[in-house]
């Protein structure tokens, strides 16, 4: 779990919280989330110093969060700045506006990225992608 948090990345704290929520889910809850979202997301996040880190959120098969590119092949790769990710996850930044303004870049299934709202709502009911 502690390997998810990376110094200098506020987003890693949000992702660690998401991992805690996933870990606390019962098999039924995890199955429901996986069925609802049915996607693997890879986040490529750049911090203020220009360093990049990658996290993978599997909401398709295992329902878990890992640091790095390992695990199943991502259905959508989302690239954004550290601060923008935190605002997006907290519901302070609208995902569509972020995409349209170039703050959020998506490779792969862009429509799947809309389901991230469901994932973020598991840690913050106010989030809106």
């Amino acid at each position: 779990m502690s390997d998810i948090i990376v110094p200098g990345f506020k987003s890693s704290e949000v992702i660690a919280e998401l991992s805690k929520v996933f870990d606390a889910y019962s098999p039924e809850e995890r199955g429901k989330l996986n069925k609802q979202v049915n996607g693997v997301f890879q986040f490529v996040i750049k911090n203020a110093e220009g360093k990049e880190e990658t996290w993978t959120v599997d909401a398709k098969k295992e329902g878990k969060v890992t640091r790095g590119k390992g695990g199943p092949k991502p259905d959508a790769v989302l690239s954004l700045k550290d601060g923008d990710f935190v605002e997006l996850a907290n519901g302070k930044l609208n995902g569509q506006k972020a995409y349209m303004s170039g703050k959020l870049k998506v490779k792969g299934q862009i429509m799947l990225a809309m389901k991230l709202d469901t994932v973020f709502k598991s840690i913050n009911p106010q989030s809106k992608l």
Side-chain angles (χ1 to χ4, degrees):
M1 171 66 160
S2 60
D3 63 328
I4 291 177
I5 294 180
V6 179
F9 286 86
K10 287 188 177 171
S11 54
S12 69
E13 294 170 22
V14 175
I15 293 169
E17 187 63 32
L18 185 61
S19 182
K20 277 187 203 170
V21 170
F22 277 25
D23 289 346
Y25 276 167
S26 69
E28 293 79 22
E29 290 171 316
R30 192 173 289 132
K32 182 181 175 191
L33 178 75
N34 290 348
K35 188 174 182 183
Q36 202 174 7
V37 178
N38 194 29
V40 177
F41 304 95
Q42 182 176 298
F43 293 98
V44 179
I45 299 174
K46 188 179 276 192
N47 71 3
E49 289 90 52
K51 293 179 183 168
E52 268 188 10
E53 280 291 336
T54 304
W55 289 271
T56 303
V57 176
D58 177 355
K60 190 176 198 172
K61 291 186 177 150
E62 295 182 42
K64 69 177 196 171
V65 180
T66 54
R67 182 173 162 205
K69 296 179 182 180
K73 182 177 182 276
D75 298 304
V77 178
L78 294 90
S79 302
L80 64 165
K81 291 180 182 170
D82 191 42
D84 293 338
F85 176 86
V86 173
E87 287 187 4
L88 190 68
N90 290 333
K92 293 178 183 165
L93 177 65
N94 178 287
Q96 289 174 316
K97 286 181 184 173
Y99 178 75
M100 297 304 236
S101 67
K103 287 183 176 184
L104 170 66
K105 293 178 178 58
V106 181
K107 289 181 190 166
Q109 297 181 27
I110 190 160
M111 292 311 291
L112 187 63
M114 304 310 272
K115 291 185 179 182
L116 265 176
D117 186 36
T118 305
V119 174
F120 288 142
K121 278 193 168 137
S122 66
I123 55 170
N124 182 0
Q126 277 75 46
S127 94
K128 51 184 179 277
L129 187 65

